[in-house]
Amino acid sequence: MDLRELYQEVILDHGKNPRNHRFPEPHNREGRGYNPLCGDKIALRLQLDGDVIQDIGFLGQGCAISQASCSTMTEALKGKTLAEAEELFAKFHAMVTSDGAPADDFDELGKLAVFAGVREFPMRVKCATLGWHTLQAALHDESSVAKTE
Ligand code: ZN
C-alpha cells in the first residue's frame, strides 16, 4: 500500500466513522461552519479549562473530507493548549494551501498529514479547512459562523 492509498484509507475511515462526533457536556465555546461550495455544515463545541482544550466534539453533515478533517482535528486537539492549537492550525493551513513544500515539513502534524493531497484539488481545500476555521470562530467569537469564502 503506498502512502496515497494509506491517506485515502484514513480519510474514508474517519469520514464514515468520525471520532468525537458528539457535543461535549459541559462546554463553554461553540462555533458553526458552512462551506457553500460543497454543502458541508458543522457545529463544533469545546470545553476550555484555562487555556487547555479539555474536550471537543462536533456534529454536522458533509462530504467525507470535511467529516474526516473535523474528526482528526478533534483527536489532535484534545488536551492541547490554545497556543498549540493555533500552531497546528497554521501548519495545517500551510500544508493544504502551499505549493511544493516538502512532505517532511509535516511530520509533526501526525495523522493530519493525510490531507496533504487536497492541495491538488482547490475545491477540496475548503472542505478540509472548514473544521479549523470553525475552531477559530469558536475560540475567538462564540457566536460567529465561520465561512470558507
Ligand atoms: Zn466538502
Side-chain angles (χ1 to χ4, degrees):
M1 184 185 290
D2 69 16
L3 200 58
R4 190 172 290 251
E5 285 174 53
L6 176 70
Y7 282 3
Q8 273 176 7
E9 195 142 295
V10 172
I11 291 173
L12 283 175
D13 173 37
H14 279 260
K16 273 189 201 141
N17 304 294
R19 318 306 196 263
N20 302 306
H21 202 242
R22 54 171 179 80
F23 284 148
E25 288 301 338
H27 66 271
N28 51 21
R29 291 289 188 283
E30 174 170 11
R32 285 176 296 142
Y34 178 48
N35 172 16
L37 279 179
C38 182
D40 310 315
K41 214 170 204 175
I42 64 151
L44 183 74
R45 289 184 183 175
L46 304 86
Q47 176 67 12
L48 269 188
D49 184 6
D51 71 339
V52 175
I53 299 171
Q54 284 286 332
D55 202 0
I56 179 168
F58 76 100
L59 289 174
Q61 299 172 0
C63 64
I65 290 179
S66 66
Q67 295 287 301
S69 179
C70 288
S71 173
T72 51
M73 178 188 78
T74 55
E75 276 195 329
L77 290 178
K78 215 182 275 187
K80 292 272 196 303
T81 65
L82 292 180
E84 288 168 337
E86 297 282 355
E87 207 180 312
L88 266 184
F89 171 66
K91 284 189 179 135
F92 183 84
H93 199 262
M95 177 184 73
V96 295
T97 56
S98 65
D99 290 313
D104 59 8
D105 275 358
F106 310 132
D107 273 0
E108 51 202 302
L109 282 171
K111 205 179 275 173
L112 300 175
V114 300
F115 296 97
V118 303
R119 75 168 100 172
E120 293 165 40
F121 308 95
M123 295 281 289
R124 294 314 216 169
V125 171
K126 293 177 191 299
C127 301
T129 56
L130 178 65
W132 291 89
H133 286 298
T134 306
L135 172 74
Q136 295 290 311
L139 294 179
H140 298 293
D141 180 350
E142 287 179 53
S143 61
S144 71
V145 177
K147 294 209 181 71
T148 53
E149 291 302 291

